[in-house]
Amino acid sequence: MKQYETVIGLEVHVELATKTKIFCGCSTEFGGAPNTHTCPVCTGMPGSLPVLNKKVVEFALKAGLAANCQIHQYCKFDRKNYFYPDNPQNYQISQLYLPICHDGWVEIETSAGKKKIRIHEMHMEEDAGKLIHDEWEDCSLVDYNRSGVPLIEIVSEPDMRSSEEVIAYLEKLRCMMQYLGVSDCKLQEGSMRADVNLSVREVGAEEFGTRTEMKNLNSFKAIARAIEGERERQIELIEEGKAVTQETRRWDDNKEYSYAMRSKEDAKDYRYFPDPDLPPIHISDAWIEKIKAEQPELREVKQARYQEEYGLPAYDAGILTESRHLAGLFEETAAIYGNAKKTANWFMGEVLRLTKDKAMDAEQVSFSPKHLADLLVMVEKSEVSPQNAKKVFEKVFEEDIDPVVYIEEHGLKIVEDTGLLEETINRILDANPGPLSELLGGKDKVMGFFVGQIMKEMKGKANPASVRETLMKEVEKRK
Ligand code: ADP
Ligand code: MG
Ligand code: ZN
């Protein structure tokens, strides 16, 4: 059997998190009753004129600079003409000739190591409306709330070779956009969408094969399955001596198969021309410098700093920086508590466990760093047992309660009541004559058994170290 290599290039659409649309003042908020976030501009009424939202240019620059792109400081908008009911003007305002950002790269990491994926360009454009195909009536409805929401389209070079690389690339972009605050990149809500261009060629071949473009991919899992499915389909065609047709295909994730939507030839003539309603944009050096100066610390830099400054292992630093939001909570907690390593352990253990158990997004986690810091201080001072601290933390995590007050009110504070402790110890020693004689006979192993019993009896309100110490004293008395 011949060996084949998969070649993949992505076109990724990212909705920008501006408050208003790209060419009008309508809200970009997701959802809302149909056609309530609209005006004459974003519904394409004759005579209405677009006015560029400066924030869109700023966000595109932030994204482009973070991805090592060159900037076209003189750039323009072009009209991409096509008819479709979700596109009320009958053209989409996009950029063809002078995209704002071009020739960049991002670095991805897979099991095979690090790799650079080149970015051909990032251009600004407007999103289309949404068609809703009525299941009961024989009609389609249109909602223009999304029409005119700003997008950047990020076009990669055909540098990826596997679904693993594709997912790593998408995760990289998503993380970068979230750190920059330019998009929330939610695949389910469509604020990040990827079209997969894929071809196969024999290993060692110089030329690329004919590619297809797959649309309708709304999760990383669907993307991975679509890549495997389309690769198989193309290899089969080639093995049968048939040709792959360059076309757009729709991936059906339920059937795990892609279907031809349209061939490139007839769909290609968009009759692009510069949009006469929008003046060209000039991006000054000063503006670029200002944006560069304001860029936040990105994940890789943060990850390296956590290793160096806090002495965290690379793995932990990687996990803690996955979400900028969570990293922020961690840094604030560590700053208040004063011990980054212990704070990191708590995040790696409890915070991530609860986030996962509750099927939450890292972005949704929202307790006060001060509350966790206070709790960690109490653990350190042995004012609360580690077991109880975990339970209290669940309350902090869920309702952001004040742990100091909570521990006091629920009687969870460890009080050094030696009288009560001695009494409890003796009661338990008496109740377990068998293990006691073993202990007296020098079998230290049963020590753990007794400590456990005593802690249980004390309902966690004893400090394990003093339990051990007092227990030894009491056993000594019985020798
Ligand atoms: P178009 O403008 O017709 O969509 P582009 O040349 O701009 O085509 O490429 C679109 C995407 O397809 C890019 O991400 C590019 O990397 C990818 N691509 C181009 N040729 C191939 C190929 N032979 N195999 C896989 N991907 C490809
Ligand atoms: Mg394309
Ligand atoms: Zn509008």
Side-chain angles (χ1 to χ4, degrees):
M1 247 273 281
K2 286 176 186 159
Q3 294 284 305
Y4 292 92
E5 178 180 52
T6 320
V7 173
I8 305 160
L10 294 190
E11 291 163 283
V12 177
H13 286 91
V14 169
E15 267 182 10
L16 298 179
T18 54
K19 291 209 169 58
T20 55
K21 293 186 179 179
I22 183 167
F23 299 122
C24 64
C26 293
S27 166
T28 55
E29 211 177 308
F30 180 75
N35 298 305
T36 52
H37 303 163
T38 53
C39 74
V41 173
C42 56
T43 50
M45 295 296 163
S48 65
L49 286 171
V51 177
L52 176 61
N53 179 349
K54 191 176 175 186
K55 204 83 189 166
V56 172
V57 182
E58 186 187 315
F59 279 9
L61 286 172
K62 273 174 167 288
L65 292 171
N68 309 293
C69 287
Q70 307 290 310
I71 306 297
H72 276 134
Q73 290 182 255
Y74 173 82
C75 80
K76 292 190 293 183
F77 284 101
D78 305 297
R79 285 187 182 179
K80 179 180 181 178
N81 297 280
Y82 68 97
F83 172 77
Y84 205 66
D86 64 3
N87 170 31
Q89 301 151 140
N90 285 344
Y91 57 82
Q92 178 194 29
I93 306 179
S94 180
Q95 296 193 290
L96 179 71
Y97 304 107
L98 291 169
I100 183 164
C101 310
H102 62 101
D103 293 300
W105 54 267
V106 295
E107 192 172 64
I108 60 163
E109 199 164 355
T110 64
S111 49
K114 289 184 174 162
K115 178 173 175 178
K116 269 185 190 169
I117 306 296
R118 291 168 302 153
I119 288 171
H120 181 76
E121 66 175 74
M122 285 190 193
H123 61 255
M124 301 178 282
E125 60 186 26
E126 56 181 340
D127 210 344
K130 210 171 190 158
L131 287 180
I132 298 140
H133 306 290
D134 198 307
E135 284 175 51
W136 294 282
E137 302 280 334
D138 191 13
C139 70
S140 288
L141 303 167
V142 66
D143 176 7
Y144 289 124
N145 282 353
R146 202 179 64 183
S147 169
V149 167
L151 296 175
I152 46 172
E153 178 174 342
I154 306 167
V155 183
S156 83
E157 296 292 348
D159 285 350
M160 285 159 274
R161 297 289 175 268
S162 65
S163 56
E164 191 197 0
E165 290 186 3
V166 168
I167 306 298
Y169 171 75
L170 288 169
E171 277 174 347
K172 179 75 184 209
L173 288 184
R174 181 171 68 174
C175 181
M176 188 182 271
M177 300 303 152
Q178 288 173 345
Y179 261 79
L180 294 167
V182 304
S183 175
D184 56 15
C185 288
K186 290 187 183 159
L187 272 83
Q188 335 76 271
E189 288 185 7
S191 58
M192 184 183 203
R193 311 192 283 268
D195 298 340
V196 175
N197 295 273
L198 184 150
S199 62
V200 296
R201 63 175 171 188
E202 250 185 83
V203 169
E206 299 240 321
E207 301 264 308
F208 286 143
T210 305
R211 74 176 195 267
T212 60
E213 178 174 349
M214 274 185 296
K215 292 191 181 287
N216 192 37
L217 303 163
N218 46 25
S219 73
F220 284 167
K221 284 196 182 114
I223 290 169
R225 282 192 288 267
I227 289 170
E228 299 313 324
E230 181 60 10
R231 173 190 150 88
E232 304 268 296
R233 193 190 67 87
Q234 290 189 15
I235 291 175
E236 218 163 277
L237 282 174
I238 295 168
E239 293 270 295
E240 288 169 6
K242 294 178 187 157
V244 174
T245 319
Q246 186 175 337
E247 62 192 357
T248 304
R249 300 179 68 86
R250 183 179 204 283
W251 174 252
D252 185 328
D253 203 39
N254 293 321
K255 302 205 173 77
E256 300 208 12
Y257 194 78
S258 68
Y259 296 89
M261 277 169 77
R262 54 170 189 253
S263 75
K264 268 284 186 208
E265 286 71 38
D266 45 274
K268 209 54 256 219
D269 188 10
Y270 291 122
R271 302 171 345 269
Y272 274 101
F273 64 87
D275 193 305
D277 289 340
L278 287 156
I281 312 159
H282 174 66
I283 299 161
S284 68
D285 292 341
W287 196 12
I288 293 178
E289 286 316 311
K290 182 168 179 286
I291 288 170
K292 276 188 184 163
E294 288 167 0
Q295 292 285 69
E297 180 185 41
L298 291 177
R299 185 185 179 192
E300 301 64 49
V301 181
K302 207 183 257 305
Q303 190 177 349
R305 181 167 66 79
Y306 282 11
Q307 287 172 253
E308 199 162 296
E309 202 174 306
Y310 304 144
L312 299 181
Y315 177 78
D316 293 19
I319 302 257
L320 289 172
T321 53
E322 241 166 49
S323 140
R324 181 186 175 188
H325 171 68
L326 212 62
L329 285 181
F330 161 70
E331 284 178 36
E332 277 181 60
T333 309
I336 302 169
Y337 174 43
N339 184 329
K341 191 129 194 172
K342 282 190 182 165
T343 308
N345 288 342
W346 196 273
F347 267 75
M348 295 295 291
E350 297 313 296
V351 177
L352 293 181
R353 181 178 65 77
L354 289 171
T355 309
K356 203 172 156 209
D357 283 359
K358 295 176 195 302
M360 281 163 70
D361 253 2
E363 310 306 306
Q364 295 169 299
V365 175
S366 70
F367 57 84
S368 320
K370 170 86 168 71
H371 286 160
L372 175 54
D374 285 350
L375 181 62
L376 293 174
V377 168
M378 290 187 80
V379 175
E380 183 152 324
K381 288 190 188 157
S382 295
E383 289 175 354
V384 64
S385 71
Q387 291 87 331
N388 280 337
K390 285 181 187 174
K391 287 184 200 144
V392 173
F393 181 65
E394 269 193 59
K395 289 279 173 197
V396 174
F397 188 90
E398 283 167 3
E399 300 160 39
D400 201 23
I401 50 107
D402 181 337
V404 181
V405 175
Y406 186 90
I407 287 169
E408 199 71 57
E409 279 179 359
H410 289 76
L412 297 172
K413 194 159 177 181
I414 294 175
V415 270
E416 289 293 300
D417 184 342
T418 29
L420 176 68
L421 184 58
E422 279 167 14
E423 190 195 308
T424 311
I425 289 173
N426 283 303
R427 186 153 27 86
I428 287 174
L429 289 175
D430 292 340
N432 297 282
L436 174 61
S437 64
E438 283 180 42
L439 191 59
L440 291 171
K443 271 203 179 166
D444 281 348
K445 275 187 193 154
V446 283
M447 207 49 194
F449 162 76
F450 278 112
V451 173
Q453 292 292 307
I454 296 157
M455 287 301 287
K456 205 163 133 199
E457 195 66 19
M458 297 289 290
K459 300 201 168 59
K461 284 195 284 176
N463 169 357
S466 35
V467 167
R468 241 166 215 288
E469 201 179 307
T470 319
L471 175 60
M472 284 198 302
K473 271 192 212 145
E474 294 307 307
V475 172
E476 208 52 43
K477 284 184 196 163
R478 293 179 183 229
K479 274 191 178 161

